Amino acid sequence: MSSRRMTIATGSLLTASFSAVMIFSFSAGADDEGPMSGKGGKAVDKAPAGVELTTLLPEKIEVDNSSQETAITATVKNAGAKDSGEIRLLVVGFDGLSVKGVEGCAEIAEKDLPEGSNSGFACAIDNLAAGKSKSYAVDATFDLKKEGKICLPVQDADGTKTFWQQGPVPFGANNPSPNAPATPLLLGTDNSPVTPGSDKAGGNKSGGKELPKTGPADRILPLGAVGAALISAGAAGLWWTQRRPQRSGS
């Protein structure tokens, strides 16, 4: 091959490599939602020795004011020194926050949802290696006329133990912007409804009992709270007593 041909071939390879790096870098940056937080989370049942399971949610999300659509990343992490074995992550919506889809996860049938929730998905994980995490893209809607909460329990494969539960933790804004294209909501903030004359002090605007609150001093949901005891004192880790969602095939 002549020197001229070798120069052209080399230049083409360098250009292709540079383009691939640029595309990869752009994609990675586009998926970055910013800081993540374990706010509202608490360990429940004792995990296997050497396993330390937690979850993370974005500190801020944005809700499209016209479609009410939003995207949330739910992450489960094993900060321990040993692999987790089979576990599952549940993604459950309350009040104004409805979970419409979780990539790679199975929808929980309406009859199997815990009382007080409006939607949920179960994500089966064959194994989470020590020091590793797994993230899921969550499609949701948020009715800005209501408060909205999300809950991320991490359980063993059959749901008899809950090793960690984040929430139900609220997303919200103290000063919603109904005339803007989107409304930013902060994790751990109760939402102030945008409708004039709404009585936030009256508690639940849907007619039911007040939902449990979360925060730095939050407790695992007590028996009878909002009729949705995800974890009760007498049956820690059992967040409903009769039916559990079927595990997904993944």
Side-chain angles (χ1 to χ4, degrees):
M1 181 180 291
S2 68
S3 298
R4 182 171 180 274
R5 288 182 178 178
M6 289 181 65
T7 301
I8 293 173
T10 302
S12 299
L13 288 173
L14 288 174
T15 301
S17 299
F18 179 76
S19 299
V21 171
M22 289 297 290
I23 292 171
F24 177 79
S25 300
F26 177 80
S27 299
D31 292 336
D32 184 10
E33 283 192 330
M36 303 286 283
S37 172
K39 182 180 293 185
K42 186 173 183 177
V44 188
D45 292 318
K46 185 175 178 61
V51 177
E52 185 180 342
L53 297 166
T54 59
T55 57
L56 297 169
L57 287 164
E59 291 186 357
K60 184 176 77 170
I61 62 173
E62 288 199 347
V63 178
D64 185 293
N65 285 341
S66 59
S67 67
Q68 298 187 337
E69 294 177 351
T70 186
I72 303 171
T73 298
T75 298
V76 57
K77 181 178 180 181
N78 179 10
K82 293 186 177 180
D83 293 0
S84 70
E86 287 188 72
I87 57 173
R88 68 179 186 179
L89 170 70
L90 304 179
V91 183
V92 183
F94 291 80
D95 267 15
L97 193 157
S98 298
V99 181
K100 299 301 182 183
V102 182
E103 185 178 6
C105 303
E107 184 174 8
I108 300 172
E110 184 177 356
K111 63 183 178 62
D112 293 325
L113 287 170
E115 293 181 42
S117 66
N118 57 47
S119 53
F121 284 75
C123 309
I125 302 171
D126 291 335
N127 183 61
L128 192 58
K132 298 297 183 180
S133 62
K134 186 174 178 63
S135 295
Y136 293 89
V138 180
D139 292 325
T141 59
F142 198 109
D143 184 348
L144 293 170
K145 297 188 293 295
K146 302 178 181 179
E147 294 182 356
K149 296 180 175 67
I150 190 169
C151 188
L152 302 181
V154 183
Q155 303 179 328
D156 59 359
D158 59 7
T160 58
K161 291 184 178 180
T162 297
F163 302 125
W164 173 267
Q165 180 174 303
Q166 185 174 7
V169 61
F171 275 105
N174 292 325
N175 297 301
S177 306
N179 297 322
T183 296
L185 302 180
L186 300 179
L187 184 67
T189 301
D190 288 328
N191 191 50
S192 296
V194 298
T195 49
S198 61
D199 184 9
K200 186 175 176 63
N204 190 336
K205 288 162 282 299
S206 61
K209 296 180 180 179
E210 183 181 0
L211 283 175
K213 302 297 182 182
T214 58
D218 65 309
R219 297 175 294 176
I220 298 302
L221 300 188
L223 183 64
V226 79
L230 302 190
I231 300 165
S232 68
L238 296 179
W239 75 320
W240 63 88
T241 57
Q242 296 182 345
R243 299 186 178 89
R244 296 190 301 268
Q246 295 181 350
R247 292 168 48 201
S248 62
S250 58

